[in-house]
Amino acid sequence: MTATAPVTTPTTTPDATTVARPPAAAGPSRLLGMDAARGVAVLGMMAVHSLYDTTPDGAPTTMYMVTAGRSAAVFAVLAGVGIAFTTGRRRVRWGGEGRSAAASLTARAGVVGAIGLALGWGSAEIAANILPYYALMFLLAIPLVFLPTRALAGVATLLAAGMPVLSQWVRAGLPAPTLENPTVAQLVTDPLGLLSELALTGYYPALPWLAYLAVGIAVGRLRLTDTRVAAWLAAGGAALAVVATVVARCVMGPLGGDAAVAAVTPPAVLATAPTVPDFVAVAPEGVTPTTTWWWLGTDAPHSGTPLDLAQTIGSALAVLGVMLLLGRSANRLVQGAVRPLAAVGSLTLTVYTLHVVFLNSPLDTFDALPGYLVQVVVAALGALAWRRAVGRGPLESLVRVVARAAARAAA
């Protein structure tokens, strides 16, 4: 992968900001497929929060197995793509350019983190808030923008393969996570505990998840307006996801992973699901238990294992490639389906925030499926209307203004 001439692109996920407008535009001001991929991620995460994750007997639902983990991974990979675009789709150089990029990412992290902490009053059992984790990811991504593209690919591989192993080793000695949504009070009273949870032990641990951003930055330096690039992303991503899934099934099945997990798990805990594979699929809450190293062989949603990261990275790339291809289609029916997704995807931070507020409010009196459908319709129609009448979303505009101001001040 090599860097190409910079273009102006859509905003990052889940916030929206541009550090500096690149000097030459080599394509359209927005990539419809990019925004549509963000829209898929938003609706997928809404499904994870709104629909049932298990059946009455404790088995994972089909919807949960499809959307859980993958939706958030699409967010994270596209966040990296957005960072690549805001840094000109090339390696950032040391000096004034580097100071501007670092200041912009720091400001973005500050605003997104503040919004995330402000949402901390909501219940994590209803919607585990990802924004504080993203804030830390943006800070950790600052060194990545200084790397050449090939180095980024290597770093992403090392992070995906090695960080889960390191996490499995050190988490036994770290404080147990609260698994509550982070709050301002926690930031003041227990900053080290909060940092531990955001980095390694929480729902969306930033250190293993940095692999997503590294992949996204590398992909963002490709010419995504090229149909062949989009097709390779779709095919290559799908192949990676399938291979990771097959390997995980072999490790946990014939090679004995499920049996090893069952041997170290209390029978009363195993009884919460009808089978051991069902238990393994729903047990991880961001990370795997440290009871046995065999846990690292699963690709269960939100397990943060090497195979889970590989599978979700592949899924994210496949979604991006397919949406880029559909966004270039001249078929009116395809465009009619893609444009509402793109509208939602262009207001990701605003839509996500309103979604979390709604689920924790007295307004959510619906059953699971009707409530989800109501949110989808309102999000699509509202985003289309807002894009037509106003343009950039309110929270996206806030992040953009603060990030640009920080970049100018640093330069």
Side-chain angles (χ1 to χ4, degrees):
M1 292 181 291
T2 57
T4 53
V7 299
T8 306
T9 66
T11 57
T12 61
T13 304
D15 64 306
T17 181
T18 303
V19 176
R21 190 173 298 277
S29 60
R30 297 194 70 88
L31 287 174
L32 188 66
M34 183 82 73
D35 282 339
R38 292 192 179 99
V40 170
V42 174
L43 298 186
M45 186 163 287
M46 289 167 61
V48 173
H49 292 161
S50 303
L51 303 176
Y52 295 115
D53 54 0
T54 60
T55 60
D57 64 352
T61 63
T62 301
M63 181 61 70
Y64 177 78
M65 294 302 294
V66 170
T67 59
R70 292 184 177 91
S71 302
V74 175
F75 268 126
V77 170
L78 290 178
V81 174
I83 291 172
F85 280 106
T86 61
T87 52
R89 293 177 58 228
R90 56 183 171 80
R91 178 184 182 183
V92 172
R93 304 298 178 184
W94 297 101
E97 180 185 5
R99 289 194 300 272
S100 293
S104 174
L105 285 171
T106 301
R108 184 184 312 183
V111 177
V112 172
I115 295 172
L117 293 176
L119 294 174
W121 58 273
S123 170
E125 293 185 1
I126 296 175
N129 179 11
I130 200 172
L131 297 183
Y133 297 88
Y134 267 120
L136 180 57
M137 289 180 214
F138 287 138
L139 292 178
L140 295 175
I142 291 174
L144 298 181
V145 302
F146 295 95
L147 297 177
T149 304
R150 289 185 178 179
L152 277 171
V155 167
T157 302
L158 289 175
L159 287 170
M163 191 56 68
V165 177
L166 178 63
S167 171
Q168 190 83 354
W169 179 49
V170 304
R171 273 188 289 114
L174 294 177
T178 65
L179 295 181
E180 297 291 338
N181 285 328
T183 63
V184 175
Q186 188 180 5
L187 177 64
V188 174
T189 60
D190 188 20
L192 292 181
L194 177 59
L195 179 61
S196 172
E197 190 160 351
L198 294 179
L200 276 176
T201 63
Y203 279 115
Y204 314 100
L207 285 174
W209 280 48
L210 196 59
Y212 294 129
L213 270 70
V215 169
I217 295 172
V219 169
R221 293 177 182 178
L222 302 174
R223 189 175 293 278
L224 298 180
T225 53
D226 190 327
T227 301
R228 291 172 298 179
V229 171
W232 274 109
L233 288 175
L240 176 60
V242 169
V243 169
T245 300
V246 171
V247 172
R249 297 297 181 271
C250 292
V251 171
M252 299 306 291
L255 295 182
D258 286 334
V261 168
V264 297
T265 305
V269 177
L270 283 177
T272 58
T275 67
V276 174
D278 288 335
F279 168 76
V280 170
V282 299
E285 295 181 310
V287 292
T288 54
T290 57
T291 52
T292 173
W293 288 93
W294 280 97
W295 273 109
L296 292 178
T298 184
D299 65 341
H302 292 298
S303 60
T305 67
L307 291 173
D308 173 45
L309 291 172
Q311 190 248 73
T312 50
I313 286 171
S315 298
L317 296 180
V319 168
L320 174 58
V322 170
M323 290 298 108
L324 288 173
L325 292 172
L326 293 179
R328 295 174 61 86
S329 172
N331 185 285
R332 291 186 178 182
L333 292 177
V334 173
Q335 288 291 308
V338 169
R339 289 193 178 279
L341 284 174
V344 172
S346 68
L347 279 75
T348 48
L349 181 58
T350 299
V351 171
Y352 179 83
T353 300
L354 292 176
H355 158 69
V356 172
V357 171
F358 170 77
L359 288 184
N360 287 278
S361 75
L363 296 175
D364 186 16
T365 59
F366 303 92
D367 290 334
L369 183 57
Y372 174 65
L373 295 177
V374 166
Q375 292 179 77
V376 170
V377 172
V378 171
L381 296 180
L384 283 169
W386 185 277
R387 286 290 301 165
R388 184 182 296 272
V390 180
R392 195 179 302 274
L395 294 182
E396 287 77 8
S397 296
L398 172 64
V399 178
R400 176 188 175 91
V401 168
V402 174
R404 282 194 163 188
R408 286 194 297 268

